[in-house]
Amino acid sequence: MSASRLNLAELDLSELETALEARGCERFHARQLYRWVYRRGVVDFGKMTDLSKELRSRLAMEFDAVTPVVASDVTSIDGTRKFALELSDRRRIEAVFIPDTPAMTFCISTQVGCAMGCGFCLTGKMGLVRNLTAGESAGQVRVLAAATGMLDHPFNIVLMGMGEPLHNYANTMKALRILHSEHGLAVSPRRVTLSTVGIVPGLERLAHEPLMPNLAISLHATSEAQRSELVPPNRKYPLADILEACRRFPLKKRSRITFEYVMLDRVNDTPEDARRLARLLSGIRAKVNLIPLNPAPGIPYDRPSDARVDQFAQILADRHLTVSVRKSRGQDIRAACGQLIVEGGVKKSAAQQMALLMQS
Ligand code: SF4
């Protein structure tokens, strides 16, 4: 890759129009390029047959379209596919295709590793390696859509892979703008769910976004003390402030905020926790997604019994909350929630940990 070539995967449509114009090309070619790259999954300018030969060779001199490379693609017995994708600096991230939920869903990463350090999460053990660029975040969708034959079909995106999306705010939002372009994949923000631990300034910015995704808050505890233990950012952005920001959040008609609650056996799964959770959410248009922990080596918690999960869910339902229990997908390939990346000791480098996981 020539250092002087511009990576068009990092450009939204208007930036690409401007870049083309600055290089003496017509602006409208940006739409054609978006169609090739996003709708057809073609990044080789030589194959873009509705462009003149002269333009194709000129584009190849001036631009490239850097695309994450599939390093591995493992399918679970339930059809979930976990992809390890290698970035241009050889770092790896993971993205997961979850079929029939009932929609087709891509779970993508926004960072390499994560700085949030949640106590039940393997990714959190890595620490933050770096932010993904907008092109890398959007690139995961391009690659997965092509690999799964979904370029021409509607799909959902959940920002629930590695990383905290609001900790990489500008790049994440730009990725959503790129994916939204009607000349590309045309992903409606209604089909996107952003999951966050609740970075309050990020939530406030999000409330003013023109392309506002659905919001999911990773709650996981019902008292400040316990949440600060399980989700360390709570020390800076306490539960009370997050719920206040949720109350102010400008929800569209009929939409609700999802509250995710990883259930840890005899830690946060008591009937009292359930009653407290219902009280905390009163006055918020909420639904609750209970996620019985996927146990993993190095994670000091267990999965609660089905009876404890059912009792917890029933208490919420009795208080008129919509509640679902997440069926764990792809557990046999470690693609389930909180299981992306790292296995083995935390002293290993992120790359070593990734390599270990890839071999498992
Ligand atoms: S649960 Fe999410 S926010 Fe917490 S450490 Fe894991 S990836 Fe980061």
Side-chain angles (χ1 to χ4, degrees):
M1 176 175 76
S2 155
S4 59
R5 282 195 285 170
L6 186 60
N7 178 9
L8 65 81
E10 297 295 342
L11 305 181
D12 64 28
L13 188 72
S14 68
E15 288 171 336
L16 182 55
E17 287 170 343
T18 304
L20 286 165
E21 196 171 41
R23 286 158 181 77
C25 303
E26 297 286 351
R27 290 171 70 89
F28 72 86
H29 293 311
R31 297 177 189 182
Q32 291 171 297
L33 284 168
Y34 251 59
R35 277 198 286 276
W36 280 109
V37 172
Y38 291 96
R39 280 199 206 160
R40 299 186 199 175
V42 173
V43 292
D44 177 349
F45 297 109
K47 294 183 177 156
M48 299 182 180
T49 47
D50 60 353
L51 306 179
S52 71
K53 276 197 176 146
E54 190 210 330
L55 179 61
R56 282 187 253 167
S57 52
R58 186 132 162 239
L59 289 171
M61 281 191 296
E62 300 275 3
F63 292 93
D64 55 13
V66 179
T67 301
V69 175
V70 177
S72 74
D73 168 3
V74 190
T75 304
S76 161
I77 45 174
D78 65 18
T80 300
R81 278 170 77 176
K82 181 176 74 171
F83 293 83
L85 302 176
E86 189 166 290
L87 307 172
S88 52
D89 63 357
R90 313 291 305 273
R91 303 263 187 217
R92 286 187 179 186
I93 50 169
E94 290 194 343
V96 181
F97 171 60
I98 310 157
D100 309 320
T101 53
M104 302 294 176
T105 301
F106 299 130
C107 174
I108 66 164
S109 297
T110 52
Q111 296 178 311
V112 182
C114 183
M116 300 298 118
C118 301
F120 48 83
C121 173
L122 285 173
T123 310
K125 299 250 179 233
M126 281 178 85
L128 177 64
V129 179
R130 70 168 174 85
N131 283 333
L132 295 189
T133 64
E136 288 168 338
S137 288
Q140 292 168 76
V141 178
R142 273 197 283 136
V143 170
L144 265 63
T148 57
M150 295 292 296
L151 284 168
D152 288 331
H153 297 85
F155 52 77
N156 292 348
I157 297 172
V158 293
L159 305 177
M160 292 185 190
M162 298 168 71
E164 160 55 55
L166 297 185
H167 194 216
N168 183 17
Y169 190 97
N171 291 345
T172 300
M173 289 305 144
K174 184 171 182 185
L176 297 187
R177 284 199 300 279
I178 290 172
L179 293 168
H180 176 66
S181 170
E182 60 174 316
H183 302 288
L185 285 168
V187 179
S188 155
R190 276 177 296 126
R191 288 192 163 271
V192 180
T193 299
L194 182 151
S195 172
T196 173
V197 295
I199 310 287
V200 173
L203 285 174
E204 280 160 3
R205 268 177 92 180
L206 195 65
H208 297 100
E209 281 293 335
L211 290 182
M212 194 191 294
N214 301 307
L215 181 61
I217 302 283
S218 300
L219 208 67
H220 311 319
T222 56
S223 71
E224 298 287 1
Q226 188 177 63
R227 192 163 191 272
S228 294
E229 277 291 306
L230 295 174
V231 186
N234 195 69
R235 294 169 202 159
K236 191 163 180 195
Y237 304 114
L239 193 51
D241 293 1
I242 295 168
L243 294 173
E244 205 36 56
C246 288
R247 286 198 172 82
R248 288 195 302 268
F249 201 79
L251 288 174
K252 290 182 208 106
K253 236 182 178 178
R254 285 198 294 278
S255 69
R256 284 179 287 184
I257 299 175
T258 301
F259 289 86
E260 297 165 318
Y261 196 94
V262 168
M263 296 186 68
L264 312 173
D265 189 36
R266 286 162 216 283
V267 174
N268 64 354
D269 66 341
T270 66
E272 184 47 35
D273 284 309
R275 287 190 282 271
R276 213 167 22 236
L277 179 57
R279 281 198 298 277
L280 286 174
L281 299 184
S282 79
I284 300 177
R285 270 155 57 195
K287 52 187 171 182
V288 177
N289 191 6
L290 298 176
I291 309 164
L293 178 76
N294 295 305
I299 298 297
Y301 302 106
D302 292 320
R303 181 190 189 90
S305 66
D306 289 350
R308 287 179 79 83
V309 174
D310 290 347
Q311 184 187 31
F312 198 99
Q314 191 59 52
I315 292 170
L316 297 177
D318 288 346
R319 284 155 180 77
H320 310 293
L321 275 161
T322 303
V323 53
S324 58
V325 178
R326 189 183 295 176
K327 187 175 144 201
S328 189
R329 303 291 303 248
Q331 253 188 300
D332 54 321
I333 56 167
R334 291 213 179 285
C337 181
Q339 291 191 325
L340 297 184
I341 302 306
V342 288
E343 200 158 37
V346 291
K347 292 197 185 75
K348 291 184 174 64
S349 73
Q352 286 170 316
Q353 291 167 12
M354 170 67 89
L356 273 171
L357 181 64
M358 292 298 106
Q359 288 156 17
S360 68

